[in-house]
Amino acid sequence: MTENNSPSGATPTSKYDDSRRPLLAAARAGAIGLVIVTVLSLLVWGGKNGMPGVWGVVLGAAIGGSFVLLTVAGVLFTAKTSPSTTLAVVLGGWLLKIVVLIAVLLIIRNLEFYDHLTFFITVVLALVVTLGAEVWGMSQSNLTYVQPTDD
């Protein structure tokens, strides 16, 4: 049997046999959640703080949203490989994201073109909403959990 619970060499017999389906639903829901948070934050913070608020939202949404969505992308990219490969990509990606995050935060720390409070709030909202939307998207997916027997 292959990863998608179908006989080897065959395509899934239904959409419920594709093991990537929950990951795709999670990525879609996470991206939609990120867009909603970004638009609402732009309306609120852009109206309140002007261009520094807009830049704070753009930076915060990019950092917070990409941090979560890149993990799903890594798992989707390695969905047809071995579990150890997926583990290596996810853990390596997490380490790389932490290093890049620290570098970006050090670079923008003393810059004044963005509102720092807006940035912080948007990062937190983007992380929470994107992760929550991904969990919801995965939980709404249906999969076949039994494998057909070969008689």
Side-chain angles (χ1 to χ4, degrees), residues 21-99:
R21 192 167 181 265
L23 294 169
L24 293 169
R28 183 175 36 260
I32 291 169
L34 179 61
V35 167
I36 291 170
V37 164
T38 303
V39 169
L40 292 176
S41 293
L42 281 170
L43 291 172
V44 171
W45 294 107
K48 183 176 185 278
N49 297 336
M51 281 311 289
V54 169
W55 280 113
V57 168
V58 169
L59 288 171
I63 289 173
S66 66
F67 202 88
V68 177
L69 289 173
L70 285 174
T71 301
V72 173
V75 174
L76 272 169
F77 180 72
T78 60
K80 301 290 183 187
T81 63
S82 70
S84 60
T85 301
T86 301
L87 178 66
V89 168
V90 169
L91 290 178
W94 184 84
L95 181 62
L96 180 64
K97 288 186 293 187
I98 291 295
V99 169

Side-chain angles (χ1 to χ4, degrees), residues 104-133:
V104 168
L105 292 177
L106 286 173
I107 291 169
I108 68 171
R109 177 179 54 187
N110 295 323
L111 299 178
E112 297 297 326
F113 72 94
Y114 70 99
D115 182 60
H116 295 235
L117 179 63
T118 300
F119 171 75
F120 173 76
I121 291 173
T122 305
V123 167
V124 171
L125 282 174
L127 286 169
V128 170
V129 169
T130 306
L131 184 58

